[in-house]
Every structure is written in C-alpha cells, then in structure tokens.
Amino acid sequence: CCTPSRTAVKYSFVRVYGEKPIVYFSKNLTPNELIKLYKKLNVRLEGRVAVKLHSGEPGNQNFLGPDFFGPIIKEVNGTIVESNTAYDGLRNTTKKHLETIQKHGWMNKFQFDLLDAEGPDLVLDIPNGKVIKKNYVGKDLVYYDSMLVLSHFKGHPMGGYGGALKQLSIGIASSYGKAYIHGCGKPEDIWTSNHDQFLESMADAAESIVRYFNGQIVYINVMKNMSVDCDCCAVAEDPCIKDIGVLISTDPIAIDQACLDLVYASVDPGKSHFIERVESRNGVHTIEAAFALGYGQREYELKDITNE
C-alpha cells in the first residue's frame, strides 16, 4: 500500500545519562486525558506514526479497547500495528488474528497493520545485547518513521509485569521473534529457557527498537484494570488493585519504573497480590537489564498534572 519510509540501517545511539527524564502523570483515566498528556509532553511524532497496542486475546476481560485509545490514535494520525503471537490461541496466525482484530473493533475506525502478516521478517542487530544479538520483527516496520507505544500496565504470568519494555520487545517481535526472545536465542526453548535470561532478552530486544526509531518514540502507560494476568490470557484474573492513573514519557525505563513505584506506594490492600506476581517472577530485572544497556534511566521526575 505504500513504500518504506526507512530501511534497516545502523542508527546513531547515545547512552542516556544526565538530567532525570520527566514522567507526566494524571489520575484522570479518560480517553481525552491521553491527549492532554501528549500535548503536555510537547514531543510531536513525525511522518508515518505506528501505534503499538495490545489487540486483546478473545475471552480476556481487562484489555483496553478502541473506545479508550481511539482519541489519542486519531490525535497522532497513527496506524495501529500488532504482531502475531507465538502460543496457541486466536492471535497466533494471520487469519485468526485479523478475525480477532475485527471482532474487537480495531479495524472499524482505524488503519491497521499486522506487521508480520507475511514474511520474511526484518532482522535488527543488537550489538550490545547481553543475551541475544538479533531481533526478528515484522517487515512492515520499515513503513514507519515514529511510534506511539500504548501499554496497558498490568501483571504478567512470565514477565511479572507488562509495560512499555514488554511492548517494545515481545509486543513488536514477529511470531518467530517472540519465540526467539522467550528462548533466549533458541526458539525451541520458548518455555524452558533460563528465566532471568528471558527478562534480559526482552531488554535486549527493546533496545533494538529504541535504536531503530532513534528517539522518535513516545510511551503511554495506563494503570487501569490491573490484573496480575496479561491481556494475552484468554482466562485472566479480575483486577486486584484499584486504578491509579496514566503516565507519559520519552523514556521506556523511567515510565515502567514509575508505574512499579506507584504500585508500591498505593494504599490499596490489593497491591500485595500484584506485588507478589511481580516479585515472584523477578519482574524488575527487565528494568535493571534495560538500564544496564543505557537507553534510559530508573531515576525520574514525576510531574502530576491531574488538576491542570
């Protein structure tokens, strides 16, 4: 439908140190609040904008749909992008995934691109990767100049939590790429690899996307409907902790760290169940590994604009 905006070339990449990144926060969980935060961030996404979100596994009751994310997608004039899964379900083949996308209403009002609908994959190098040195993503990624990462912050059965770093890695990887990350470079070990190395592989893969877009990414994390289970679970627990708010930043490490910090600071007794899920899977290690690679910071400045 269109010609590539970029090719898989080497991009300049500078380790991020110095001033603390700003993470804007609001307790107002409305669709228009995402637009308010985007304008407050004052970073304009240019060219063809890919909007990465989770299309939702059929049966899951917690994922955020078109009604919630619609206004911000229209604000950036973006194309929703997704990738096939690597596990059995209703999103692991192009045919089934497209049917799910239609069922969940994503194709009714928005442009949609299933990045790995057809092969071959685009292979991104990860020269500094601790565990993996390559990241396999859908070849359609070359059509986009910038990206808006919309993450539903929640727990995860394997990663402990799901946020911006998971969206950058597992979320954008092709079906083969997801197995490659899970298996720490050996797709056949998808469910049996060393757990901490899997978390480090996610951090490696996320770096390749940050480098690829060379700073042209904005991250929004929504702390709503927070179950200990991911939106990829057809059978998921109901939310265990009260909604907290929405955050935006240009730093994927800072925004995920901020979300975890807000959970720990919550007075909701339901947080203990959520924290148990994170800690039992050593979820913070993904943040630790990403920080060690140098593409973001764990210390940040949180600015609450709820009442602005």
Side-chain angles (χ1 to χ4, degrees):
C1 64
C2 51
T3 56
S5 290
R6 59 170 76 229
T7 55
V9 298
K10 292 183 179 179
Y11 286 82
S12 61
F13 185 60
V14 179
R15 283 178 174 265
V16 182
Y17 296 111
E19 294 184 4
K20 294 179 182 179
I22 295 174
V23 179
Y24 289 104
F25 167 74
S26 174
K27 297 176 183 177
N28 299 323
L29 279 160
T30 65
N32 286 333
E33 197 72 1
L34 276 63
I35 297 175
K36 172 184 166 183
L37 285 162
Y38 177 66
K39 291 180 177 178
K40 185 70 176 181
L41 189 66
N42 198 29
V43 174
R44 184 172 178 81
L45 294 172
E46 302 288 350
R48 296 171 182 162
V49 182
V51 179
K52 178 63 185 76
L53 48 72
H54 197 299
S55 54
E57 188 69 23
N60 185 281
Q61 73 275 33
N62 300 317
F63 76 94
L64 304 177
D67 290 343
F68 188 84
F69 281 135
I72 188 63
I73 296 170
K74 292 179 180 178
E75 175 69 22
V76 301
N77 192 29
T79 298
I80 299 172
V81 299
E82 252 282 36
S83 298
N84 290 322
T85 62
Y87 55 85
D88 289 340
L90 294 178
R91 298 187 302 129
N92 66 326
T93 68
T94 295
K95 182 178 182 296
K96 288 191 290 184
H97 202 163
L98 289 174
E99 289 172 351
T100 295
I101 290 163
Q102 181 69 45
K103 176 182 177 182
H104 288 167
W106 296 113
M107 297 177 95
N108 296 343
K109 300 179 181 179
F110 313 105
Q111 292 183 321
F112 195 99
D113 188 352
L114 193 56
L115 297 175
D116 63 338
E118 298 177 358
D121 286 344
L122 171 67
V123 184
L124 302 179
D125 291 329
I126 317 173
N128 299 321
K130 182 178 180 180
V131 178
I132 58 175
K133 300 296 184 180
K134 294 184 181 298
N135 186 24
Y136 295 83
V137 301
K139 63 179 178 58
D140 284 5
L141 196 68
V142 299
Y143 295 138
Y144 302 98
D145 304 292
S146 58
M147 177 172 280
L148 174 63
V149 179
L150 299 177
S151 302
H152 175 205
F153 187 85
K154 67 281 181 191
H156 193 277
M158 293 192 69
Y161 83 94
L165 291 171
K166 181 178 177 292
Q167 278 279 51
L168 285 173
S169 55
I170 294 293
I172 295 175
S174 67
S175 181
Y176 176 83
K178 288 176 172 61
Y180 190 86
I181 294 169
H182 270 283
C184 304
K186 297 180 180 179
E188 64 273 18
D189 294 342
I190 180 172
W191 308 125
T192 58
S193 64
N194 177 273
H195 183 72
D196 279 1
Q197 287 188 340
F198 154 60
L199 301 178
E200 291 162 4
S201 294
M202 283 203 292
D204 289 344
E207 183 199 15
S208 73
I209 302 299
V210 172
R211 284 194 304 112
Y212 183 77
F213 283 106
N214 201 24
Q216 289 295 304
I217 310 182
V218 167
Y219 307 91
I220 293 178
N221 281 12
V222 182
M223 303 184 76
K224 175 180 173 68
N225 297 353
M226 289 182 288
S227 166
V228 297
D229 289 325
C230 180
D231 296 342
C232 55
C233 299
V235 179
E237 284 192 22
D238 287 334
C240 63
I241 181 174
K242 291 180 181 178
D243 297 346
I244 292 177
V246 58
L247 303 86
I248 191 168
S249 182
T250 56
D251 187 319
I253 298 172
I255 197 170
D256 276 8
Q257 183 68 64
C259 286
L260 286 182
D261 290 345
L262 286 167
V263 168
Y264 277 91
S266 171
V267 297
D268 188 331
K271 75 177 186 180
S272 60
H273 186 42
F274 193 97
I275 290 172
E276 189 280 331
R277 172 57 58 92
V278 175
E279 293 184 349
S280 66
R281 272 66 168 180
N282 196 20
V284 73
H285 190 54
T286 306
I287 292 175
E288 295 170 340
F291 175 69
L293 290 171
Y295 57 91
Q297 298 187 60
R298 296 185 68 182
E299 293 188 1
Y300 55 90
E301 181 179 357
L302 188 70
K303 291 191 175 184
D304 188 343
I305 65 166
T306 301
N307 297 319
E308 289 188 9

